[in-house]
Amino acid sequence: MELKLTRPICFFDLETTGTNVAKDRIVEISILKVFPNGNKESRTWLVNPEMHIPEEVVAIHGISNEKVANEPTFKELSKEIYKIIKDSDLGGFNSDRFDIPLLAEELLRADIDFDMKNTVSVDVQTIFHKKEKRTLEAAYKFYCDKELTDAHSAEADTNATYEVLLSQLDRYPDLENNIKKLAEFSKRKQFVDFAGFIALDQDGEEVFSFGKHKGKKVQEVLEKEPGYFGWILNADFPLYTKKILTQIKLSKLNNKLS
């Protein structure tokens, strides 16, 4: 089975300093870019996160502070990474909830205006959980009949993720070999931002999904309580969430002026 592509797709995996999208940083990134003609290119970088990697995290992925001390920072790599992914859809394992949000934060911190408006993402973990409900190692064994001997290595996890998706397409006849359809199937809930603070209601309008305004329309809240916008911008929310909120606020102003 080969993927039917109309544009490239970049499968990628991150190893990080932790799991907080707003605060933690990338220590390793691996990208496997698959082109519509079947060609592939792969790149892997170690990254100096410019912060301490906790020992309990080092125990998981094996990337120590000493190992990345002399590696380039993400900002130094950001233009090269963005050049690879900017014309592509994205794929990963738990990527919608973690890898894409954290990558977006890193790119925005590096002053690259990353956006997903014209990009779809395929979360292979969601397909797996909807079909079998297991982990990546189990998925690799189940679908590919192979042992993932180097788990928590970004490159091994990235290649395993790509192989699992191909095997999923072979196994499930009802799973359409179309990136947009796979992206739709692998979505959990319709969120506007990656972190899940702003969702779409049944009418397709942006609503807050947390706090005292949970379920309320974003534009109505910003109009009635202008200080809420400032509070979010100054609080510890992901940069991409702040970017989306600013876009919603500006669209409301533009509508009033037009």
Side-chain angles (χ1 to χ4, degrees):
M1 177 69 73
E2 292 293 331
L3 284 176
K4 295 177 182 177
L5 302 174
T6 56
R7 60 184 303 209
I9 181 169
C10 286
F11 292 90
F12 76 102
D13 185 71
L14 307 177
E15 301 303 335
T16 65
T17 59
T19 58
N20 186 312
V21 169
K23 292 182 177 180
D24 281 304
R25 301 290 189 268
I26 294 170
V27 298
E28 185 180 30
I29 177 170
S30 185
I31 301 173
L32 172 66
K33 188 169 186 176
V34 184
F35 295 87
N37 64 3
N39 289 347
K40 304 178 186 71
E41 65 179 48
S42 179
R43 293 293 306 277
T44 301
W45 299 267
L46 284 171
V47 184
N48 183 339
E50 301 180 280
M51 66 180 291
H52 180 73
I53 310 171
E55 291 305 314
E56 61 270 22
V57 178
V58 174
I60 294 172
H61 55 49
I63 301 171
S64 65
N65 291 281
E66 294 74 20
K67 189 172 183 179
V68 295
N70 297 316
E71 297 295 335
T73 65
F74 186 87
K75 187 163 188 175
E76 292 170 331
L77 295 168
S78 59
K79 289 182 180 178
E80 185 178 2
I81 290 170
Y82 184 63
K83 184 178 179 181
I84 294 173
I85 69 172
K86 67 179 181 179
D87 65 339
S88 306
D89 293 319
L90 298 175
F93 199 85
N94 193 33
S95 49
D96 282 354
R97 291 196 299 177
F98 182 71
D99 297 85
I100 293 175
L102 203 149
L103 179 63
E105 291 298 294
E106 291 276 36
L107 287 168
L108 290 170
R109 275 193 290 267
D111 299 320
I112 292 177
D113 191 21
F114 177 74
D115 207 300
M116 288 285 289
K117 282 183 180 177
N118 299 311
T119 301
V120 298
S121 62
V122 178
D123 193 328
V124 175
Q125 186 195 60
T126 305
I127 295 174
F128 182 39
H129 284 178
K130 284 186 175 182
K131 293 292 188 179
E132 306 295 342
K133 309 201 187 305
R134 304 270 180 95
T135 62
L136 177 57
E137 288 91 340
Y140 198 52
K141 177 66 177 175
F142 181 86
Y143 288 111
C144 306
D145 197 25
K146 299 177 184 177
E147 298 292 339
L148 186 53
T149 55
D150 203 10
H152 298 298
S153 153
E155 185 171 3
D157 288 357
T158 296
N159 286 302
T161 297
Y162 172 63
E163 289 185 49
V164 167
L165 179 58
L166 296 182
S167 295
Q168 286 173 331
L169 289 167
D170 278 328
R171 181 176 289 268
Y172 306 117
D174 61 321
L175 205 58
E176 191 171 341
N177 191 344
N178 176 286
I179 292 300
K180 288 188 177 180
K181 295 291 186 182
L182 290 170
E184 290 171 8
F185 186 83
S186 65
K187 285 194 184 305
R188 288 180 172 85
K189 192 175 180 180
Q190 193 70 18
F191 289 112
V192 183
D193 65 331
F194 296 126
F197 291 108
I198 303 171
L200 292 178
D201 64 12
Q202 58 186 9
D203 299 318
E205 294 193 48
E206 296 96 345
V207 296
F208 285 111
S209 58
F210 73 99
K212 65 179 183 178
H213 293 305
K214 185 175 181 179
K216 296 180 183 178
K217 296 185 189 302
V218 172
Q219 287 192 346
E220 291 180 2
V221 171
L222 296 183
E223 191 170 334
K224 293 178 181 177
E225 192 179 331
Y228 199 64
F229 175 75
W231 173 74
I232 290 178
L233 288 191
N234 291 310
D236 193 21
F237 286 91
L239 294 175
Y240 198 82
T241 299
K242 295 176 182 179
K243 175 182 176 178
I244 293 297
L245 192 63
T246 302
Q247 288 175 345
I248 295 171
K249 184 177 176 65
L250 289 175
S251 69
K252 180 71 172 179
L253 290 173
N254 289 337
N255 289 337
K256 282 185 176 181
L257 294 173
S258 59

